[in-house]
Amino acid sequence: MIAGAIWGLFNVGFAMILSFGPSLLVERGWTVAAAGSAISLALWISAVSVPLGGVLADRTRRPLTLVVVGSFLLALLLALLTRSSAVITIVVSLGLVSGQPAGPIMSLPARVLAPQTRAIGMGIFLTVFYAAMMLGPVIAGRLASWTGSAAAALDLGALVVLVCPLLVWLFERIAENRPQPA
């Protein structure tokens, strides 16, 4: 459940870029086409950064450090996007940072689930992930409507991503006290 929450909250933060980033830029005077094109850079670049993150996690042998650092950087960049005019630099950086923790996060369930419980464990992992991905954008949308700005949704994304390092710490404490799966 904790691994699913990490994956879900991290993805909620990333989803804020794609869901509310274009609206933020339109609020700043960008055309809809230019705003969508600029924000889409994050998605395209993240497709490259996912395997890069796997390579870094394997080479450094510190996958959870990659998750923690990636979470802090993603939160920082989300907050900067709402407060800076350096949009393209921030969006490219978001793409580079956001994909790297994916592999290490997805490997968390295998660290604690034995083969005989892996199917139900992955079902729970994905249920928590999907619940976060269902609720996060709804809450962010209501917050954006209430405040009158898409910036509120991106700031919420930054806040939920900051929960991930705490959950990584909790996951590690629990995993240390469990027998390793065969």
Side-chain angles (χ1 to χ4, degrees):
M1 289 180 72
I2 295 169
I6 294 167
W7 186 230
L9 294 176
F10 193 87
N11 275 282
V12 165
F14 183 71
M16 295 304 108
I17 303 163
L18 306 174
S19 300
F20 296 94
S23 297
L24 175 75
L25 297 182
V26 169
E27 288 173 9
R28 292 183 181 175
W30 291 49
T31 67
V32 172
S37 294
I39 294 299
S40 75
L41 288 171
L43 183 60
W44 289 106
I45 295 169
S46 71
V48 174
S49 71
V50 170
L52 176 64
V55 169
L56 278 172
D58 285 346
R59 290 220 173 134
T60 63
R61 299 190 190 278
R62 306 215 23 121
L64 295 182
T65 300
L66 191 64
V67 174
V68 170
V69 170
S71 296
F72 283 125
L73 289 174
L74 178 58
L76 174 67
L77 290 166
L78 282 166
L80 282 175
L81 185 60
T82 64
R83 292 162 178 81
S84 174
S85 61
V87 171
I88 299 301
T89 302
I90 293 168
V91 169
V92 167
S93 299
L94 281 164
L96 289 171
V97 166
S98 62
Q100 292 189 34
I105 294 171
M106 288 300 293
S107 71
L108 292 175
R111 292 186 50 210
V112 295
L113 296 172
Q116 45 290 32
T117 60
R118 204 160 282 155
I120 189 74
M122 288 304 295
I124 293 168
F125 171 86
L126 290 170
T127 298
V128 173
F129 162 72
Y130 287 126
M133 286 301 293
M134 177 187 65
L135 294 173
V138 170
I139 293 167
R142 296 238 171 140
L143 185 59
S145 293
W146 181 66
T147 63
S149 175
L154 287 143
D155 287 341
L156 176 66
L159 288 174
V160 300
V161 171
L162 286 175
V163 176
C164 293
L166 296 172
L167 292 175
V168 167
W169 176 83
L170 181 60
F171 181 89
E172 275 299 288
R173 298 298 75 75
I174 293 170
E176 286 174 355
N177 296 320
R178 293 179 56 113
Q180 294 297 317

